[in-house]
Amino acid sequence: MEEETNGFELTIIIPVYNEEGNLERVKEEITSFFQKFPKKAKVLFVNDGSADNSLSIIQRICTGTDRFQYLSFDQNYGLSAAIKAGFDAADTPWVGYIDADLQTTPDDFITLFEYTGDYDLITGVRTGRKDSFVKNMSSKIANGIRRMFTHDGMDDTGCPMKLIRTDMAKKIPMFNGLHRFLPAMILLQKGKIKQVPVKHFPRIAGKSKFNLWNRLLGPLQDCFAYLWMKKKYINYKIGERG
C-alpha cells in the first residue's frame, strides 16, 4: 500500500461548483493544514461542471504538485456524483470530504483522524452554526426525518466534514442525495461510526447551492429511496482466497 499511494494516507475530496471566489483561500488553508497534519495528505478537487472560472483556477493550483489533483465533469451532475467520483478515484487508506466554501476548516481533520483507529467513519457536527435561522431550522428538521428512517443516531449528516475508510467508501452505491446517508451506509456494512464537534464559519464568497426545497422535500424523497436500497443491499466478506 505504501508504494501504491506514495506514502499518502488521506485524500481530501473537495467538490467544486462555481466557487471561483473561494479557491485561492482553499489552497492557502489546505497548504497550512498539510504542515500540521501528522500524516501525508493530498486534495482531490472534483469540478462539477462549473460555469465560472473555477476550473482554470483549479488547474493552476494543481500545476507542478502531487498534493493537489483534480477531476472535471463534462457538465453539472450534483454533489452526490462529485463525492462518488472522488471515492472511486481515491487511492489512499482514508478519504475525507470538505466543502469549497470553507464554512468548516480542514484543521478539524486533525481531530477527526485521532479516531481512525476505532471507527470506520468519523463525521463532524457543526457547533455554533453561522447560518440563517431558516437554514438552521430546515437542517434540524431534515436531520430528524432522516434519523427516523435510518436510526443512524447522527445529529448533522449534512456537515461537510467526514473521514471514511476508503475501501468502505468505494462500496457505497451512490445515488442523488445519498451523500446525506453516508453514516447509514457504513452501518449497513457493519462499520462503526462516530460524530465529533467541529467549528463552523460564515460563508465569505459564493452562494449556497441549497434552498428550502432541496434541504427538506428532497431529503424526504431520498429517505424512501434509501429504504428501498436497504432492503436490496448486499453485504459480504471474503473468508478465504485460493
Side-chain angles (χ1 to χ4, degrees), residues 7-21:
F8 287 105
E9 294 285 335
L10 169 65
T11 299
I12 300 174
I13 300 166
I14 305 183
V16 177
Y17 180 59
N18 295 342
E19 293 285 0
E20 62 182 4

Side-chain angles (χ1 to χ4, degrees), residues 30-231:
I30 289 290
T31 300
S32 174
F33 160 77
F34 286 156
Q35 297 171 356
K36 306 170 191 174
F37 192 55
K39 303 290 184 179
K40 192 176 179 183
K42 61 182 176 179
V43 159
L44 177 62
F45 291 108
V46 181
N47 178 47
D48 186 19
S50 295
D52 61 2
N53 293 318
S54 292
L55 178 57
S56 61
I57 297 172
I58 289 171
Q59 291 170 331
R60 185 169 69 247
I61 291 172
C62 295
T63 299
T65 176
D66 61 352
R67 289 280 193 156
F68 292 92
Q69 302 170 4
Y70 77 94
L71 303 172
S72 187
F73 289 162
D74 60 344
Q75 64 182 58
N76 177 243
Y77 290 102
L79 180 57
S80 291
I83 294 173
K84 170 63 172 170
F87 288 169
D88 289 345
D91 60 359
T92 52
W94 288 88
V95 61
Y97 153 55
I98 190 171
D99 275 352
D101 61 16
L102 289 181
Q103 287 196 259
T104 50
T105 172
D107 287 352
D108 276 331
F109 278 122
I110 299 172
T111 302
L112 269 58
F113 206 84
E114 294 175 1
Y115 296 92
T116 54
D118 299 309
Y119 296 92
D120 304 297
L121 176 146
I122 307 97
T123 182
V125 179
R126 291 166 287 189
T127 58
R129 287 187 63 175
K130 303 301 189 294
D131 290 322
S132 68
F133 174 79
V134 172
K135 187 174 181 179
N136 284 334
M137 287 304 299
S138 59
S139 178
K140 287 182 180 180
I141 294 170
N143 273 298
I145 294 171
R146 190 210 68 260
R147 279 195 303 271
M148 287 191 299
F149 280 82
T150 65
H151 305 289
D152 61 11
M154 298 289 102
D155 297 316
D156 186 16
T157 61
C159 178
M161 168 151 288
K162 293 177 174 63
L163 275 178
I164 312 175
R165 266 181 49 192
T166 303
D167 58 339
M168 300 185 84
K170 287 179 180 292
K171 293 179 183 178
I172 297 175
M174 294 288 276
F175 55 78
N176 283 334
L178 195 63
H179 63 273
R180 304 180 182 95
F181 296 85
L182 295 179
M185 295 306 303
I186 296 301
L187 289 177
L188 284 183
Q189 298 182 47
K190 310 302 180 186
K192 296 176 65 178
I193 63 178
K194 183 176 181 62
Q195 53 186 0
V196 177
V198 297
K199 296 181 285 294
H200 193 245
F201 304 91
R203 174 183 270 272
I204 294 178
K207 295 181 179 179
S208 174
K209 312 307 183 293
F210 294 93
N211 52 46
L212 193 60
W213 165 261
N214 56 28
R215 199 175 285 121
L216 282 179
L217 298 182
L220 180 59
Q221 292 177 325
D222 296 337
C223 284
F224 290 104
Y226 166 79
L227 289 181
W228 175 87
M229 189 208 57
K230 182 179 179 181
K231 292 180 180 179

